Amino acid sequence: ELKVEQNPLFLSMQEGKNYTIYCNYSTTSDRLYWYRQDPGKSLESLFVLLSNGAVKQEGRLMASLDTKARLSTLHITAAVHDLSATYFCAVDKYGGATNKLIFGTGTLLAVQP
Amino acid sequence: SAVISQKPSRDICQRGTSLTIQCQVDSQVTMMFWYRQQPGQSLTLIATANQGSEATYESGFVIDKFPISRPNLTFSTLTVSNLSPEDSSIYLCSVDVSPYEQYFGPGTRLTVT
């Protein structure tokens, strides 16, 4: 059974600091998704990583994918309070273009002033 | 992208009753998905709904409990039947805008008393 694990589950960080969220998955997949969820809100798509070595950046967030290690990272640079949210990674359940997603456990990020 | 709406946004239901959730998309899409997010948890895929065919359910979810309709390419309903407090969750629909992108609706927050 495909498992998607994130760590840490909770991250409290100060503004201006850097940190990385890790997403490990247990079977092969050619794509990986990152979503953001604010409290009481739906999911906002951040990144879709489609190949080994893929790197995408948007503002203070940068995501990368290593399909051989079955690992994706979401790196936060110089955090600001507005980044406080829960971040989920997700993997296609069947490793391909089914869009049936298995979500990670989520990482609750709290950026302190 | 796609604009997705869900009705109702929230509801409080009595044990033993049913709730039908509607999902409307502003463009035609092939596949629609229904997810459940239990309190403080990640998202779990319930089923996939294609227009003109029976929904495909994931392990642990059955049609008698979660009947789904997909009458056309822009609309789907999920019914949660014979409600129990364990069904209290947020239910989200999502659509695949492209092979690589999946967007989520705002969610329906269900509380069962």
Side-chain angles (χ1 to χ4, degrees):
Chain A
E1 181 181 339
L2 174 61
K3 292 185 178 180
V4 184
E5 296 180 339
Q6 290 179 233
N7 70 81
L9 298 182
F10 177 71
L11 176 57
S12 178
M13 55 190 300
Q14 289 185 314
E15 282 190 328
K17 300 292 186 182
N18 304 332
Y19 212 86
T20 300
I21 299 171
Y22 298 88
C23 174
N24 290 91
Y25 53 99
S26 60
T27 64
T28 58
S29 179
D30 67 352
R31 68 196 62 201
L32 187 132
Y33 302 78
W34 283 98
Y35 289 91
R36 167 180 171 150
Q37 186 177 40
D38 291 293
K41 303 292 186 181
S42 187
L43 277 75
E44 173 189 356
S45 178
L46 295 175
F47 302 108
V48 181
L49 303 169
L50 299 177
S51 61
N52 186 44
V55 177
K56 288 194 173 181
Q57 183 165 4
E58 180 73 31
R60 301 175 187 275
L61 301 178
M62 182 173 70
S64 65
L65 178 62
D66 182 342
T67 58
K68 295 180 181 178
R70 299 177 185 172
L71 170 69
S72 180
T73 61
L74 180 66
H75 186 73
I76 302 154
T77 302
V80 294
H81 180 70
D82 285 352
L83 289 179
S84 298
T86 299
Y87 293 85
F88 292 98
C89 64
V91 176
D92 190 293
K93 183 176 182 179
Y94 297 99
T98 69
N99 275 352
K100 298 184 180 185
L101 301 184
I102 301 298
F103 279 80
T105 47
T107 297
L108 175 59
L109 172 65
V111 181
Q112 310 296 337
Chain B
S1 65
V3 178
I4 306 170
S5 61
Q6 286 186 233
K7 292 181 180 179
S9 59
R10 61 178 61 223
D11 207 342
I12 301 173
C13 299
Q14 299 274 359
R15 184 195 299 254
T17 63
S18 299
L19 176 69
T20 296
I21 303 167
Q22 299 178 4
C23 179
Q24 180 77 52
V25 189
D26 68 342
S27 58
Q28 294 184 340
V29 294
T30 304
M31 299 173 73
M32 298 180 76
F33 307 87
W34 288 97
Y35 288 83
R36 180 177 73 182
Q37 187 175 26
Q38 294 175 301
Q41 302 295 315
S42 185
L43 283 79
T44 302
L45 179 63
I46 298 171
T48 304
N50 289 341
Q51 192 264 336
S53 62
E54 295 286 330
T56 303
Y57 290 84
E58 299 300 310
S59 176
F61 297 96
V62 295
I63 187 171
D64 289 347
K65 176 68 175 177
F66 299 99
I68 288 172
S69 76
R70 180 80 197 275
N72 58 53
L73 292 173
T74 62
F75 186 80
S76 177
T77 67
L78 168 73
T79 299
V80 189
S81 304
N82 190 24
L83 290 168
S84 68
E86 294 70 36
D87 295 319
S88 296
S89 297
I90 299 172
Y91 292 87
L92 300 103
C93 69
S94 70
V95 303
D96 57 337
V97 175
S98 73
Y100 311 121
E101 294 186 283
Q102 187 167 148
Y103 289 90
F104 285 79
T108 295
R109 183 181 295 271
L110 168 63
T111 303
V112 182
T113 61

